[in-house]
Structures are given as C-alpha cells and as structure tokens.
Amino acid sequence: MTVTRESKTFMLNMGPQHPAMHGVIRLVLELEGEKVVDCDVQIGYLHRAFEKHAENEPWNNVIPWTDRLNYVSPLINNVGYCMAVEKLSGLQVPERGLYVRTIACEISRVTDHLTCLGASAMELGALSVFLYMIKAREWLYQLVDKLTGARITTSYTRVGGVKSDLPPGFEEELLKVFGQVRETLGEVDALLTKNRIFVDRMSGVGVLSQADALGYGITGPMLRSTGIPFDLRRAEPYLVYDRVDFEIPVGATGDNYDRYLVRMAEMEQSMRIVEQCFRQIPPGPHSLTERQMVDAGVMADLGKHGETGKIWGAQAETDPTLEGSGRGCRTAVAASAPRYNLPVKEEVYGSIEGLMRHFEIVMWGRGINPPAGETYVAVEGGNGELGFHIVSDGRDRPYRVRCRPPCFFNMSALRKLIVGGSVADIIPTFGSVNMIAGELDR
Amino acid sequence: MSGLRDALTKGFGDAVLSFEGEGRDQAALVKPEAARDVLRALKDSGFNMLVDLTAVDFSRYGQDLPPGVTATNPAPEGSRFRLTYRLMKLGATEGLVLGRLAVHCWIVDDRGPASVKDLWPNADWLEREIWDMFGVKFSDRPGIKRLLLYEEFVGHPLRKDYPINKRQPLIGPKDERPRERLTGADLRPRIVP
C-alpha cells in the first residue's frame, strides 16, 4: 500500500486589527502548516492624506501635520520639514537654535527606540521590559512636554528656528533623567540581551542581506544592522552633528537580534550627543539680565488702551506653553527674518508694527512665501532617512510636499523577511522593522 | 561630479535633456522613453539605492498667484506630471554618500516610463503609490494595484483637479453594490423592531 501525501496551503488573514500587530496593517499569509509560503503586505489603513492636506494649507500649518507622521519621534519630523523650507528660503538658524534642535532630535530618537524595543519585547512575552521602557519614555516625554508644551504633538520648530528657548533648569533635569534612562537600559540589558528565550526568538530570524537592504532602499538602524555604517548624521552632517563625537553601532548578520543591539547602542550614543551639546551650546537668555515681567493679559489690555510706553521694555509673563518665546529668547533660537517669524508677543501687544507683522503671517492668503523652486532635504529619523521634497511656486502654501517615510522602505522588504519562516517569527520580525503606521501611510 | 555630467550628457546623446545643480542637488532631465535605460546605466555605474520615486502634478503651477509673485510653469507642452527618481550612491564599507542624483522625467498624459522594479525592488511599492495617487501608468505594468487606497476608490487624490473635500461612496462587502449612505437596514446583526 502506498501513502500519498498531499501538500496543501491555506490562507490566513493577519490584521489589520490584531493584538500582536502594533499598528494597522494587514498581512495575507499563505501557510503550509506553520510555514509562511507567501505573504501579501497590505498597507494604507492609516492614510490621512498628509500630502494632499499640505498642498492646501499655509506653509506654517503643515508643521502640526508632520507631528502625526512618526508619532513616537515627532520632533525629528518637525525639524526635517522646517529644514526643507529653510533651504528653499535661504534662512540660517542661529547657533543656539541648531543646538536646541539637535537636543530635541536626539531625545526623540531615544523615545523612538524605547518604544520600538519595548513593544517588540512585549510581543515576545517580556511585559516587564515593556513597562520599564515605557516608564523611561514617559520621563523623556515629560521633558518634551516642558520643552514644547505637548508630549507627542509637539509642533516645536518654526521656519527659521524653534518656537521657544529651553526652559530654565532643562539641562539639569534632562541629565538627571538620562541617568534614570541609563539605569533602565541596564536593567533591560540584563533581562534581555543574554536571555535564552529572547535570543532564540530573535537570533537568525528575519535576516536581511546587505544587497537586499540596498535594493529596498532601507536606511537607519535596519541598514546598520547588516553592517553598513550609514548614518546621515555622519554621511551628510546637518544641524551640529559634525561638532559632536558619536559612534555608529553596526550589526553583523542583519537579523532581529542585531537590530535590537543596534538600537540599544544607539540610545547611548544619542544621550552622549545631547550631553556634548549642553557643553557646547552658546548661553541663552535665561542667563541674561532680569527683565520687568508683566502678565500677558495685562500687557494686551495696556496695549489696547494705547499705553504702550508702559510695556515697551517689559517681558510678557505668558502661559507655560509660551515660555521661552519672548523678547530676547527668540533671537537666540530663531532667525531674525520678519517675513518668516511670528513677532514676539511683547511686540504684538506693544506696537502697531508688531501687530501688523503678526497678522501678515497668520492671515489666510498672506503668510510666509518661500521663493519658487524645489528642494529635497533628508534627516536621520528614528527609522532612517526621513526626506522632505517640497515644491513651491511662490504662494503662501506649498505646491507639493512629498515625505519620504523611512519605514515605507523597511516595510516593502517585510515580505522578503517573513517568507520561509514560521508564523511565530513574524512577530519579532515585525517588531524589529518598527513600523510606524502614521509615517508609512501618511 | 563633473564626470557624471559628462557621462550622462555625452553617453546618452539626446536622451538626457539637461543636467543641472551640483553636489547633493544635482539633477538630470531625461526623456521618458529612455528613462529605464538611463536608470539601468546609472545603477550599473554605482547608484545602488533608489532613495525615492515620486511625482508632481504641474497642471496648476503658477496659476492664481498673489499679486507680485510670478512663477513660470516648467512643464513642456502636453505634459502634466513629472516623475522624480532620487538615486544615491552609497559606499557600503565606509557608509558614506558617494553621490546623489535626481532623475526627472516629464511624461505625456498619464503614460509613464517602463517599470524599474527589477532594478530596485522597492520601486514596486513606489510605482504602485504613484499609480494610486496620480494615476500615472507604468508601461509594462498594466494590472498595477493601488497601494494606500482601496480598489473601489474613484480618482487619484494627489492630482490637482481632485477636490480636497470630495467624498467617496461608502463601500460594502465585495459582492454588494456600493451604497451612498449607511442606513439602519445595513447594520448587522439586523435590528428587528
């Protein structure tokens, strides 16, 4: 008697809403038992028409949209978009502004990696690691809140600089938090790096070759895990990255475990960059002379009654979210370009010229008008090269904004990474690819 | 990088229409029918990464500008979309950028050049996104699928003539006809009065 074995495959739909998929994405899997024979990656469930909206809003109004691209490192998106507009307009950000932007970007990179590693560890069963990392992220978010007024929807940068200077005591607090983050990373390292279960699930799984990484246009930690030390901060330095010393961690095999190690090492480098920035940053207005402080509401009332003489030399005592954006602070962190910057509140309330300049910028149909032309600027985002290709025809809104989302390219290689493995391997691979749906689908 | 300028403008005759910019901003303008050949040659010469592929709809460029602002539409007669292939030469051992080049090509109507997904596999998704958003077809991909939007979506939203407030019909399961608006009768399980 002969036994005939028939090989049968079946289809399994994973996502778009699946407890193990952090982010809305649908994988249509063709399975042979546990083995993934083929896979169709379907994206677009979080498409919110970023590029279409950007064409219909004034230049400044696009900044809040960029927060919603990669929502775990929004500050890098803010910086990327503003750098593109500045390149088109030929604006130069003052030194202190460059350092503040660098600090903001590196804090964001740490929060990005913390989220990625925490979530992928949780999916492998290490829930305590997730809680530790999210706790560390929360400390950093609290400081981002102090800096920008919001934890995630930061909208911190402006064309020509940043919204406001560093709040008083920011350096001490951040360095203290870095100590705590380092402690957390040490704990996580002790829990995961040599953990048999974790290593078995991660090592040798989701292997990406150098040739594939280049062919799929993959950048960032995922490319570095294959051993290519490409980092835009080193390759095409922007902001102040050419003045600080940092190392580029690279992996050897390009598997999930290497991606974990690269991200762990990068967080330490990011914190080193911030510490060096604090040593180099030019002094800010908080170290300057004390000014006469007047409540902003009182100041506005005095201005309305024409008593501008009483408030001309004073500084507005504003809401905490506007702290650091007053007179004296602004010039240190943003270019003095009246056609591009909102005037400081003291001038808006205290002089007709300031009020007119304010409305020139916020009124529909006015706003900032970069010259006609196009440009492409790329920054190193949490996931890799985050590029903004903007086209202007000289009006108050962009003609076209194209965002080159780094994880779009990582995700286009996902099929390659999971086919041939088992269903259980999808989870660590998907985690280490670090899909951010907001940026992927825009 | 003047070597690249010479190689492109001399090596391809009139297929390369112009070459401008320098450093990171250098850009070549090629004819759409020759785009694939030029890109293949560029890949062979070391441009190992397709950083981005995108399109711009120039049909409203320079129209309705505020007073005092002028901009001339760069689109040649009969062309509306311009594709941009953004290439990078990445040194794999030292991790440095050895060159960047944007290859622009104006296409006639919506007839795009031949696909480059066999040169760089990420072009598969990028071309699907361009079809999805702009309705530009790639000559050897007749059955191309949308990427971000769903198959029943009507129109291509990043075209300038697609209104931003346009609504799409609600769609039900695949075997049912599209419905304009959900009613109580469409709810499952049905509400029995």
Side-chain angles (χ1 to χ4, degrees), chain A residues 4 13 27 40 47-48 85 107 117 131-132 192 195 198 202 215 227 232 240 259 264 266 281 290 326 358 376 397 417:
Chain A
T4 53
N13 182 39
L27 303 178
D40 184 25
H47 181 62
R48 295 148 305 162
V85 184
I107 296 174
L117 295 182
L131 295 175
Y132 290 170
L192 286 185
N195 181 325
F198 184 74
M202 299 287 269
L232 275 173
V240 295
R259 294 199 267 278
M264 284 293 271
E266 270 182 22
I281 190 168
E290 286 224 350
H358 178 86
Y376 176 81
R397 60 204 60 197
L417 297 181

Side-chain angles (χ1 to χ4, degrees), chain A residues 43-44 52 55-56 87 215-216 230 236 374 376 385 389 392-393 395 399-400 402 404 409 442, chain B residues 25 51-52 54-55 57-58 60-63 82 86 90 100 122 129 147-148 157 159-160 162:
Chain A
I43 64 169
K52 186 75 178 174
E55 290 172 7
N56 289 278
K87 187 174 169 193
Y216 280 100
F230 171 64
E236 293 176 340
E374 65 179 299
Y376 176 81
E385 175 170 336
H389 174 198
S392 162
D393 62 352
R395 81 179 76 206
Y399 187 76
R400 166 122 171 83
R402 155 75 179 169
R404 184 229 187 247
F409 297 83
R442 280 153 288 142
Chain B
D25 298 321
V51 175
D52 197 8
T54 188
D57 176 2
F58 276 91
R60 299 269 166 91
Y61 192 86
Q63 289 179 14
R82 197 197 63 193
R86 208 168 286 285
L90 177 60
R100 277 183 189 264
N122 59 354
E129 187 183 338
L147 181 72
L148 295 175
R159 289 187 169 195
K160 287 285 176 181
Y162 185 96

Side-chain angles (χ1 to χ4, degrees), chain A residues 242-257:
Chain A
D242 50 348
R243 302 179 210 166
V244 290
D245 174 43
F246 64 100
E247 286 160 14
I248 301 175
V250 291
T253 56
D255 60 0
N256 289 334
Y257 190 61

Side-chain angles (χ1 to χ4, degrees), chain A residues 172-190:
Chain A
E172 293 75 40
E173 281 182 67
L174 186 60
L175 295 181
K176 190 171 144 241
V177 164
F178 275 176
Q180 292 168 300
V181 172
R182 284 197 169 102
E183 209 172 294
T184 308
L185 291 180
E187 285 170 345
V188 170
D189 184 58

Side-chain angles (χ1 to χ4, degrees), chain A residues 53-180:
Chain A
H53 274 301
E55 290 172 7
N56 289 278
E57 293 282 339
W59 289 93
N60 274 329
N61 292 17
V62 180
I63 297 171
W65 296 112
T66 62
D67 299 337
R68 279 89 174 157
L69 290 172
N70 185 340
Y71 35 70
V72 285
S73 53
L75 287 158
I76 304 182
N77 306 316
N78 293 166
V79 169
Y81 171 73
C82 284
M83 275 175 65
V85 184
E86 282 152 18
K87 187 174 169 193
L88 200 60
S89 317
L91 288 179
Q92 183 67 42
V93 181
E95 283 287 287
R96 189 169 167 90
L98 292 177
Y99 279 99
V100 172
R101 280 185 175 188
T102 312
I103 291 167
C105 280
E106 292 311 311
I107 296 174
S108 264
R109 197 179 314 284
V110 177
T111 58
D112 188 297
H113 289 350
L114 282 172
T115 316
C116 167
L117 295 182
S120 43
M122 174 186 67
E123 284 156 5
L124 299 183
L127 185 67
S128 39
V129 170
F130 174 73
L131 295 175
Y132 290 170
M133 285 193 143
I134 295 301
K135 182 180 67 178
R137 186 183 77 162
E138 193 53 39
W139 293 326
L140 291 168
Y141 271 173
Q142 298 291 337
L143 285 173
V144 171
D145 189 5
K146 237 179 190 171
L147 180 66
T148 70
R151 289 164 72 249
I152 296 171
T153 49
T154 52
S155 305
Y156 182 52
T157 57
R158 295 289 181 274
V159 175
V162 294
K163 183 198 86 176
S164 60
D165 196 22
L166 299 175
F170 187 75
E171 180 183 348
E172 293 75 40
E173 281 182 67
L174 186 60
L175 295 181
K176 190 171 144 241
V177 164
F178 275 176
Q180 292 168 300

Side-chain angles (χ1 to χ4, degrees), chain B residues 150-182:
Chain B
Y150 45 97
E151 286 303 309
E152 295 83 358
F153 193 91
V154 184
H156 300 282
L158 278 182
R159 289 187 169 195
K160 287 285 176 181
D161 51 9
Y162 185 96
I164 189 164
N165 53 358
K166 183 175 172 180
R167 312 295 298 188
Q168 291 283 329
L170 291 170
I171 51 159
K174 279 244 162 76
D175 51 336
E176 288 185 21
R177 63 184 169 77
R179 284 160 298 182
E180 278 303 312
R181 187 173 291 272
L182 276 176

